[in-house]
Amino acid sequence: MKALVTGFEPFGGDRINASLEAVRRLPDNAGAIEIVTAALPTSYARSLPALEAAIALARPDIVLCVGQAGERAALCLERVAVNVQDAEIPDNDGLRPVDAPIVAGGPAAYLATLPVRAAVAALRAEELPAQLSMSAGTFVCNHVFYGLMHAAAGRRHAFRAGFLHVPRLPQTGRDAPSMALDDIVKGIAIVLEAAGPGTVA
Ligand code: PCA
């Protein structure tokens, strides 16, 4: 089994993004799962083409996109991607869509096909703070999550897919919740193993 794991480039004036730092430090394997990684631009226009290219190259069985949610204190398994773009801050291209669909005429929402509840349980069993989340927001992370699930739904080469939001790293100097980089790296591997061979969604 092969997993593609992506992280996002820094955005909103930050110099680092916990998701990309963690994804860069992933080992080559999580249990029986081979891990390949890619960086996605925090851009409405460029993120999904980059994701599609990474999927075409890797032909993965699992795709886990990871992003940073600056105000969250736990690893958040996202359950649902919605067909809305609504940005409170500009993306890295200066774009700030308001109330726009991601896919015109597309379904209102998609559910993750990774076993999100089992992943939360596995994270908590390792004493990592974890939650199911009902919203990935309406910024670029939700955009990528929706585009990912839309692509998965229309593809012959089937893969399980989902989205993980992670807290900031402690060293960002912000008065915000944070999590140690090693714990985020470990958490991503645990989520992949929960989605691996022998598990049910
Ligand atoms: N977090 C943003 C986009 C990129 C990232 O890491 C979000 O939650 O939408």
PDB file of all heavy atoms in Angstrom, residues 2-36:
ATOM      1  N   LYS A   2       0.396   2.233  -0.751  1.00  0.00           N
ATOM      2  CA  LYS A   2       1.154   3.485  -0.806  1.00  0.00           C
ATOM      3  C   LYS A   2       0.267   4.650  -0.378  1.00  0.00           C
ATOM      4  O   LYS A   2      -0.895   4.724  -0.784  1.00  0.00           O
ATOM      5  CB  LYS A   2       1.639   3.710  -2.235  1.00  0.00           C
ATOM      6  CG  LYS A   2       2.649   4.834  -2.358  1.00  0.00           C
ATOM      7  CD  LYS A   2       2.804   5.280  -3.783  1.00  0.00           C
ATOM      8  CE  LYS A   2       3.952   4.598  -4.468  1.00  0.00           C
ATOM      9  NZ  LYS A   2       4.218   5.216  -5.791  1.00  0.00           N
ATOM     10  N   ALA A   3       0.836   5.541   0.439  1.00  0.00           N
ATOM     11  CA  ALA A   3       0.104   6.740   0.860  1.00  0.00           C
ATOM     12  C   ALA A   3       0.811   7.985   0.346  1.00  0.00           C
ATOM     13  O   ALA A   3       2.036   8.101   0.447  1.00  0.00           O
ATOM     14  CB  ALA A   3       0.011   6.804   2.384  1.00  0.00           C
ATOM     15  N   LEU A   4       0.033   8.887  -0.220  1.00  0.00           N
ATOM     16  CA  LEU A   4       0.526  10.231  -0.550  1.00  0.00           C
ATOM     17  C   LEU A   4       0.086  11.164   0.572  1.00  0.00           C
ATOM     18  O   LEU A   4      -1.108  11.214   0.897  1.00  0.00           O
ATOM     19  CB  LEU A   4      -0.077  10.696  -1.881  1.00  0.00           C
ATOM     20  CG  LEU A   4       0.155  12.173  -2.234  1.00  0.00           C
ATOM     21  CD1 LEU A   4       1.630  12.461  -2.471  1.00  0.00           C
ATOM     22  CD2 LEU A   4      -0.673  12.560  -3.469  1.00  0.00           C
ATOM     23  N   VAL A   5       1.048  11.859   1.159  1.00  0.00           N
ATOM     24  CA  VAL A   5       0.747  12.804   2.238  1.00  0.00           C
ATOM     25  C   VAL A   5       1.235  14.181   1.810  1.00  0.00           C
ATOM     26  O   VAL A   5       2.390  14.327   1.398  1.00  0.00           O
ATOM     27  CB  VAL A   5       1.426  12.391   3.565  1.00  0.00           C
ATOM     28  CG1 VAL A   5       0.968  13.298   4.704  1.00  0.00           C
ATOM     29  CG2 VAL A   5       1.131  10.936   3.907  1.00  0.00           C
ATOM     30  N   THR A   6       0.347  15.160   1.874  1.00  0.00           N
ATOM     31  CA  THR A   6       0.751  16.509   1.462  1.00  0.00           C
ATOM     32  C   THR A   6       0.705  17.480   2.645  1.00  0.00           C
ATOM     33  O   THR A   6      -0.072  17.298   3.588  1.00  0.00           O
ATOM     34  CB  THR A   6      -0.179  17.069   0.355  1.00  0.00           C
ATOM     35  OG1 THR A   6      -1.482  17.305   0.899  1.00  0.00           O
ATOM     36  CG2 THR A   6      -0.276  16.128  -0.824  1.00  0.00           C
ATOM     37  N   GLY A   7       1.561  18.527   2.577  1.00  0.00           N
ATOM     38  CA  GLY A   7       1.535  19.629   3.535  1.00  0.00           C
ATOM     39  C   GLY A   7       1.465  20.935   2.758  1.00  0.00           C
ATOM     40  O   GLY A   7       1.735  20.958   1.550  1.00  0.00           O
ATOM     41  N   PHE A   8       1.106  22.019   3.470  1.00  0.00           N
ATOM     42  CA  PHE A   8       0.950  23.323   2.809  1.00  0.00           C
ATOM     43  C   PHE A   8       2.122  24.248   3.091  1.00  0.00           C
ATOM     44  O   PHE A   8       2.672  24.275   4.205  1.00  0.00           O
ATOM     45  CB  PHE A   8      -0.312  24.023   3.302  1.00  0.00           C
ATOM     46  CG  PHE A   8      -1.569  23.541   2.649  1.00  0.00           C
ATOM     47  CD1 PHE A   8      -2.394  22.645   3.300  1.00  0.00           C
ATOM     48  CD2 PHE A   8      -1.920  23.976   1.381  1.00  0.00           C
ATOM     49  CE1 PHE A   8      -3.565  22.202   2.697  1.00  0.00           C
ATOM     50  CE2 PHE A   8      -3.084  23.546   0.775  1.00  0.00           C
ATOM     51  CZ  PHE A   8      -3.912  22.656   1.441  1.00  0.00           C
ATOM     52  N   GLU A   9       2.428  25.078   2.090  1.00  0.00           N
ATOM     53  CA  GLU A   9       3.424  26.136   2.280  1.00  0.00           C
ATOM     54  C   GLU A   9       2.880  27.174   3.269  1.00  0.00           C
ATOM     55  O   GLU A   9       1.667  27.308   3.420  1.00  0.00           O
ATOM     56  CB  GLU A   9       3.739  26.772   0.925  1.00  0.00           C
ATOM     57  CG  GLU A   9       4.526  25.813   0.047  1.00  0.00           C
ATOM     58  CD  GLU A   9       4.670  26.271  -1.397  1.00  0.00           C
ATOM     59  OE1 GLU A   9       4.119  27.324  -1.765  1.00  0.00           O
ATOM     60  OE2 GLU A   9       5.324  25.537  -2.157  1.00  0.00           O
ATOM     61  N   PRO A  10       3.774  27.908   3.944  1.00  0.00           N
ATOM     62  CA  PRO A  10       3.331  28.934   4.900  1.00  0.00           C
ATOM     63  C   PRO A  10       2.397  29.945   4.230  1.00  0.00           C
ATOM     64  O   PRO A  10       2.475  30.167   3.016  1.00  0.00           O
ATOM     65  CB  PRO A  10       4.630  29.608   5.336  1.00  0.00           C
ATOM     66  CG  PRO A  10       5.703  28.613   5.060  1.00  0.00           C
ATOM     67  CD  PRO A  10       5.234  27.826   3.865  1.00  0.00           C
ATOM     68  N   PHE A  11       1.522  30.546   5.023  1.00  0.00           N
ATOM     69  CA  PHE A  11       0.553  31.507   4.481  1.00  0.00           C
ATOM     70  C   PHE A  11       0.254  32.551   5.549  1.00  0.00           C
ATOM     71  O   PHE A  11       0.656  32.395   6.712  1.00  0.00           O
ATOM     72  CB  PHE A  11      -0.741  30.778   4.062  1.00  0.00           C
ATOM     73  CG  PHE A  11      -1.499  30.193   5.222  1.00  0.00           C
ATOM     74  CD1 PHE A  11      -2.616  30.836   5.761  1.00  0.00           C
ATOM     75  CD2 PHE A  11      -1.087  28.995   5.795  1.00  0.00           C
ATOM     76  CE1 PHE A  11      -3.301  30.294   6.842  1.00  0.00           C
ATOM     77  CE2 PHE A  11      -1.770  28.444   6.880  1.00  0.00           C
ATOM     78  CZ  PHE A  11      -2.873  29.094   7.401  1.00  0.00           C
ATOM     79  N   GLY A  12      -0.471  33.570   5.151  1.00  0.00           N
ATOM     80  CA  GLY A  12      -0.945  34.580   6.104  1.00  0.00           C
ATOM     81  C   GLY A  12       0.182  35.322   6.803  1.00  0.00           C
ATOM     82  O   GLY A  12       0.014  35.763   7.941  1.00  0.00           O
ATOM     83  N   GLY A  13       1.358  35.424   6.152  1.00  0.00           N
ATOM     84  CA  GLY A  13       2.472  36.160   6.746  1.00  0.00           C
ATOM     85  C   GLY A  13       3.351  35.309   7.660  1.00  0.00           C
ATOM     86  O   GLY A  13       4.368  35.791   8.156  1.00  0.00           O
ATOM     87  N   ASP A  14       2.979  34.037   7.902  1.00  0.00           N
ATOM     88  CA  ASP A  14       3.821  33.155   8.721  1.00  0.00           C
ATOM     89  C   ASP A  14       5.042  32.702   7.923  1.00  0.00           C
ATOM     90  O   ASP A  14       4.987  32.613   6.691  1.00  0.00           O
ATOM     91  CB  ASP A  14       3.046  31.897   9.136  1.00  0.00           C
ATOM     92  CG  ASP A  14       2.093  32.177  10.286  1.00  0.00           C
ATOM     93  OD1 ASP A  14       2.182  33.258  10.903  1.00  0.00           O
ATOM     94  OD2 ASP A  14       1.257  31.298  10.563  1.00  0.00           O
ATOM     95  N   ARG A  15       6.115  32.375   8.645  1.00  0.00           N
ATOM     96  CA  ARG A  15       7.304  31.856   7.958  1.00  0.00           C
ATOM     97  C   ARG A  15       7.335  30.331   7.920  1.00  0.00           C
ATOM     98  O   ARG A  15       8.072  29.747   7.134  1.00  0.00           O
ATOM     99  CB  ARG A  15       8.563  32.404   8.622  1.00  0.00           C
ATOM    100  CG  ARG A  15       8.868  33.829   8.152  1.00  0.00           C
ATOM    101  CD  ARG A  15      10.364  34.114   8.282  1.00  0.00           C
ATOM    102  NE  ARG A  15      10.828  33.835   9.647  1.00  0.00           N
ATOM    103  CZ  ARG A  15      10.822  34.739  10.602  1.00  0.00           C
ATOM    104  NH1 ARG A  15      10.419  35.951  10.380  1.00  0.00           N
ATOM    105  NH2 ARG A  15      11.269  34.424  11.809  1.00  0.00           N
ATOM    106  N   ILE A  16       6.607  29.685   8.831  1.00  0.00           N
ATOM    107  CA  ILE A  16       6.547  28.222   8.777  1.00  0.00           C
ATOM    108  C   ILE A  16       5.103  27.751   8.887  1.00  0.00           C
ATOM    109  O   ILE A  16       4.237  28.445   9.431  1.00  0.00           O
ATOM    110  CB  ILE A  16       7.407  27.522   9.865  1.00  0.00           C
ATOM    111  CG1 ILE A  16       7.022  27.987  11.262  1.00  0.00           C
ATOM    112  CG2 ILE A  16       8.880  27.690   9.612  1.00  0.00           C
ATOM    113  CD1 ILE A  16       7.706  27.172  12.343  1.00  0.00           C
ATOM    114  N   ASN A  17       4.888  26.558   8.333  1.00  0.00           N
ATOM    115  CA  ASN A  17       3.580  25.919   8.428  1.00  0.00           C
ATOM    116  C   ASN A  17       3.832  24.529   9.018  1.00  0.00           C
ATOM    117  O   ASN A  17       4.588  23.731   8.456  1.00  0.00           O
ATOM    118  CB  ASN A  17       2.949  25.813   7.036  1.00  0.00           C
ATOM    119  CG  ASN A  17       1.542  25.249   7.084  1.00  0.00           C
ATOM    120  OD1 ASN A  17       1.253  24.314   7.830  1.00  0.00           O
ATOM    121  ND2 ASN A  17       0.656  25.807   6.270  1.00  0.00           N
ATOM    122  N   ALA A  18       3.200  24.262  10.163  1.00  0.00           N
ATOM    123  CA  ALA A  18       3.434  22.995  10.875  1.00  0.00           C
ATOM    124  C   ALA A  18       3.173  21.788   9.981  1.00  0.00           C
ATOM    125  O   ALA A  18       3.850  20.761  10.092  1.00  0.00           O
ATOM    126  CB  ALA A  18       2.535  22.932  12.113  1.00  0.00           C
ATOM    127  N   SER A  19       2.182  21.910   9.089  1.00  0.00           N
ATOM    128  CA  SER A  19       1.828  20.754   8.255  1.00  0.00           C
ATOM    129  C   SER A  19       2.994  20.364   7.344  1.00  0.00           C
ATOM    130  O   SER A  19       3.349  19.186   7.242  1.00  0.00           O
ATOM    131  CB  SER A  19       0.571  21.041   7.428  1.00  0.00           C
ATOM    132  OG  SER A  19       0.798  22.030   6.442  1.00  0.00           O
ATOM    133  N   LEU A  20       3.621  21.346   6.722  1.00  0.00           N
ATOM    134  CA  LEU A  20       4.720  21.039   5.798  1.00  0.00           C
ATOM    135  C   LEU A  20       5.961  20.575   6.563  1.00  0.00           C
ATOM    136  O   LEU A  20       6.645  19.636   6.146  1.00  0.00           O
ATOM    137  CB  LEU A  20       5.049  22.255   4.925  1.00  0.00           C
ATOM    138  CG  LEU A  20       6.043  22.007   3.795  1.00  0.00           C
ATOM    139  CD1 LEU A  20       5.591  20.865   2.896  1.00  0.00           C
ATOM    140  CD2 LEU A  20       6.245  23.265   2.978  1.00  0.00           C
ATOM    141  N   GLU A  21       6.234  21.214   7.708  1.00  0.00           N
ATOM    142  CA  GLU A  21       7.390  20.790   8.525  1.00  0.00           C
ATOM    143  C   GLU A  21       7.239  19.328   8.921  1.00  0.00           C
ATOM    144  O   GLU A  21       8.189  18.546   8.867  1.00  0.00           O
ATOM    145  CB  GLU A  21       7.502  21.660   9.788  1.00  0.00           C
ATOM    146  CG  GLU A  21       7.738  23.136   9.529  1.00  0.00           C
ATOM    147  CD  GLU A  21       8.989  23.411   8.710  1.00  0.00           C
ATOM    148  OE1 GLU A  21      10.032  22.786   8.982  1.00  0.00           O
ATOM    149  OE2 GLU A  21       8.917  24.224   7.775  1.00  0.00           O
ATOM    150  N   ALA A  22       6.019  18.939   9.320  1.00  0.00           N
ATOM    151  CA  ALA A  22       5.785  17.559   9.770  1.00  0.00           C
ATOM    152  C   ALA A  22       5.867  16.583   8.596  1.00  0.00           C
ATOM    153  O   ALA A  22       6.488  15.522   8.698  1.00  0.00           O
ATOM    154  CB  ALA A  22       4.423  17.463  10.462  1.00  0.00           C
ATOM    155  N   VAL A  23       5.239  16.951   7.480  1.00  0.00           N
ATOM    156  CA  VAL A  23       5.214  16.053   6.313  1.00  0.00           C
ATOM    157  C   VAL A  23       6.646  15.810   5.808  1.00  0.00           C
ATOM    158  O   VAL A  23       7.009  14.696   5.428  1.00  0.00           O
ATOM    159  CB  VAL A  23       4.290  16.640   5.219  1.00  0.00           C
ATOM    160  CG1 VAL A  23       4.530  15.988   3.866  1.00  0.00           C
ATOM    161  CG2 VAL A  23       2.834  16.480   5.650  1.00  0.00           C
ATOM    162  N   ARG A  24       7.484  16.851   5.869  1.00  0.00           N
ATOM    163  CA  ARG A  24       8.883  16.698   5.430  1.00  0.00           C
ATOM    164  C   ARG A  24       9.667  15.740   6.308  1.00  0.00           C
ATOM    165  O   ARG A  24      10.695  15.201   5.890  1.00  0.00           O
ATOM    166  CB  ARG A  24       9.586  18.057   5.456  1.00  0.00           C
ATOM    167  CG  ARG A  24       9.241  18.916   4.274  1.00  0.00           C
ATOM    168  CD  ARG A  24      10.107  20.167   4.298  1.00  0.00           C
ATOM    169  NE  ARG A  24       9.895  20.954   3.111  1.00  0.00           N
ATOM    170  CZ  ARG A  24       9.891  22.283   3.094  1.00  0.00           C
ATOM    171  NH1 ARG A  24      10.082  22.960   4.216  1.00  0.00           N
ATOM    172  NH2 ARG A  24       9.684  22.928   1.973  1.00  0.00           N
ATOM    173  N   ARG A  25       9.223  15.564   7.542  1.00  0.00           N
ATOM    174  CA  ARG A  25       9.965  14.698   8.473  1.00  0.00           C
ATOM    175  C   ARG A  25       9.370  13.299   8.592  1.00  0.00           C
ATOM    176  O   ARG A  25       9.804  12.511   9.429  1.00  0.00           O
ATOM    177  CB  ARG A  25      10.008  15.357   9.855  1.00  0.00           C
ATOM    178  CG  ARG A  25      11.035  16.460   9.897  1.00  0.00           C
ATOM    179  CD  ARG A  25      10.862  17.343  11.100  1.00  0.00           C
ATOM    180  NE  ARG A  25      11.813  18.451  11.092  1.00  0.00           N
ATOM    181  CZ  ARG A  25      11.703  19.539  10.328  1.00  0.00           C
ATOM    182  NH1 ARG A  25      10.687  19.665   9.488  1.00  0.00           N
ATOM    183  NH2 ARG A  25      12.603  20.506  10.396  1.00  0.00           N
ATOM    184  N   LEU A  26       8.385  12.974   7.770  1.00  0.00           N
ATOM    185  CA  LEU A  26       7.794  11.636   7.855  1.00  0.00           C
ATOM    186  C   LEU A  26       8.818  10.582   7.452  1.00  0.00           C
ATOM    187  O   LEU A  26       9.641  10.813   6.555  1.00  0.00           O
ATOM    188  CB  LEU A  26       6.578  11.534   6.926  1.00  0.00           C
ATOM    189  CG  LEU A  26       5.298  12.215   7.418  1.00  0.00           C
ATOM    190  CD1 LEU A  26       4.264  12.266   6.294  1.00  0.00           C
ATOM    191  CD2 LEU A  26       4.737  11.486   8.637  1.00  0.00           C
ATOM    192  N   PRO A  27       8.756   9.411   8.090  1.00  0.00           N
ATOM    193  CA  PRO A  27       9.622   8.317   7.646  1.00  0.00           C
ATOM    194  C   PRO A  27       9.137   7.775   6.297  1.00  0.00           C
ATOM    195  O   PRO A  27       8.088   8.182   5.793  1.00  0.00           O
ATOM    196  CB  PRO A  27       9.441   7.270   8.752  1.00  0.00           C
ATOM    197  CG  PRO A  27       8.109   7.573   9.352  1.00  0.00           C
ATOM    198  CD  PRO A  27       7.874   9.051   9.186  1.00  0.00           C
ATOM    199  N   ASP A  28       9.891   6.843   5.713  1.00  0.00           N
ATOM    200  CA  ASP A  28       9.516   6.275   4.416  1.00  0.00           C
ATOM    201  C   ASP A  28       8.342   5.312   4.518  1.00  0.00           C
ATOM    202  O   ASP A  28       7.716   4.978   3.503  1.00  0.00           O
ATOM    203  CB  ASP A  28      10.710   5.536   3.790  1.00  0.00           C
ATOM    204  CG  ASP A  28      11.830   6.495   3.421  1.00  0.00           C
ATOM    205  OD1 ASP A  28      11.531   7.695   3.246  1.00  0.00           O
ATOM    206  OD2 ASP A  28      12.991   6.059   3.332  1.00  0.00           O
ATOM    207  N   ASN A  29       8.092   4.818   5.724  1.00  0.00           N
ATOM    208  CA  ASN A  29       7.020   3.841   5.925  1.00  0.00           C
ATOM    209  C   ASN A  29       6.294   4.098   7.236  1.00  0.00           C
ATOM    210  O   ASN A  29       6.884   4.560   8.199  1.00  0.00           O
ATOM    211  CB  ASN A  29       7.601   2.424   6.023  1.00  0.00           C
ATOM    212  CG  ASN A  29       8.260   1.989   4.729  1.00  0.00           C
ATOM    213  OD1 ASN A  29       9.444   2.274   4.524  1.00  0.00           O
ATOM    214  ND2 ASN A  29       7.511   1.349   3.867  1.00  0.00           N
ATOM    215  N   ALA A  30       4.993   3.753   7.248  1.00  0.00           N
ATOM    216  CA  ALA A  30       4.237   3.672   8.502  1.00  0.00           C
ATOM    217  C   ALA A  30       3.667   2.260   8.519  1.00  0.00           C
ATOM    218  O   ALA A  30       2.756   1.952   7.753  1.00  0.00           O
ATOM    219  CB  ALA A  30       3.117   4.706   8.537  1.00  0.00           C
ATOM    220  N   GLY A  31       4.250   1.389   9.334  1.00  0.00           N
ATOM    221  CA  GLY A  31       3.863  -0.020   9.278  1.00  0.00           C
ATOM    222  C   GLY A  31       4.118  -0.548   7.871  1.00  0.00           C
ATOM    223  O   GLY A  31       5.208  -0.364   7.310  1.00  0.00           O
ATOM    224  N   ALA A  32       3.091  -1.138   7.266  1.00  0.00           N
ATOM    225  CA  ALA A  32       3.238  -1.729   5.926  1.00  0.00           C
ATOM    226  C   ALA A  32       3.010  -0.710   4.808  1.00  0.00           C
ATOM    227  O   ALA A  32       3.043  -1.060   3.632  1.00  0.00           O
ATOM    228  CB  ALA A  32       2.244  -2.877   5.783  1.00  0.00           C
ATOM    229  N   ILE A  33       2.783   0.537   5.180  1.00  0.00           N
ATOM    230  CA  ILE A  33       2.424   1.553   4.177  1.00  0.00           C
ATOM    231  C   ILE A  33       3.651   2.367   3.756  1.00  0.00           C
ATOM    232  O   ILE A  33       4.342   2.946   4.599  1.00  0.00           O
ATOM    233  CB  ILE A  33       1.351   2.506   4.751  1.00  0.00           C
ATOM    234  CG1 ILE A  33       0.109   1.710   5.172  1.00  0.00           C
ATOM    235  CG2 ILE A  33       0.987   3.581   3.746  1.00  0.00           C
ATOM    236  CD1 ILE A  33      -0.868   2.511   6.004  1.00  0.00           C
ATOM    237  N   GLU A  34       3.897   2.404   2.456  1.00  0.00           N
ATOM    238  CA  GLU A  34       4.966   3.251   1.916  1.00  0.00           C
ATOM    239  C   GLU A  34       4.454   4.684   1.852  1.00  0.00           C
ATOM    240  O   GLU A  34       3.322   4.921   1.429  1.00  0.00           O
ATOM    241  CB  GLU A  34       5.316   2.740   0.506  1.00  0.00           C
ATOM    242  CG  GLU A  34       6.381   3.563  -0.192  1.00  0.00           C
ATOM    243  CD  GLU A  34       6.466   3.243  -1.689  1.00  0.00           C
ATOM    244  OE1 GLU A  34       5.873   2.244  -2.137  1.00  0.00           O
ATOM    245  OE2 GLU A  34       7.105   4.045  -2.394  1.00  0.00           O
ATOM    246  N   ILE A  35       5.286   5.635   2.279  1.00  0.00           N
ATOM    247  CA  ILE A  35       4.854   7.041   2.307  1.00  0.00           C
ATOM    248  C   ILE A  35       5.597   7.853   1.252  1.00  0.00           C
ATOM    249  O   ILE A  35       6.822   7.808   1.175  1.00  0.00           O
ATOM    250  CB  ILE A  35       5.115   7.675   3.697  1.00  0.00           C
ATOM    251  CG1 ILE A  35       4.329   6.932   4.788  1.00  0.00           C
ATOM    252  CG2 ILE A  35       4.751   9.150   3.698  1.00  0.00           C
ATOM    253  CD1 ILE A  35       4.645   7.416   6.202  1.00  0.00           C
ATOM    254  N   VAL A  36       4.832   8.586   0.422  1.00  0.00           N
ATOM    255  CA  VAL A  36       5.431   9.592  -0.446  1.00  0.00           C
ATOM    256  C   VAL A  36       4.789  10.930  -0.100  1.00  0.00           C
ATOM    257  O   VAL A  36       3.644  10.970   0.378  1.00  0.00           O
ATOM    258  CB  VAL A  36       5.252   9.277  -1.951  1.00  0.00           C
ATOM    259  CG1 VAL A  36       5.994   8.009  -2.334  1.00  0.00           C
ATOM    260  CG2 VAL A  36       3.795   9.171  -2.328  1.00  0.00           C
TER     261      VAL A  36
END
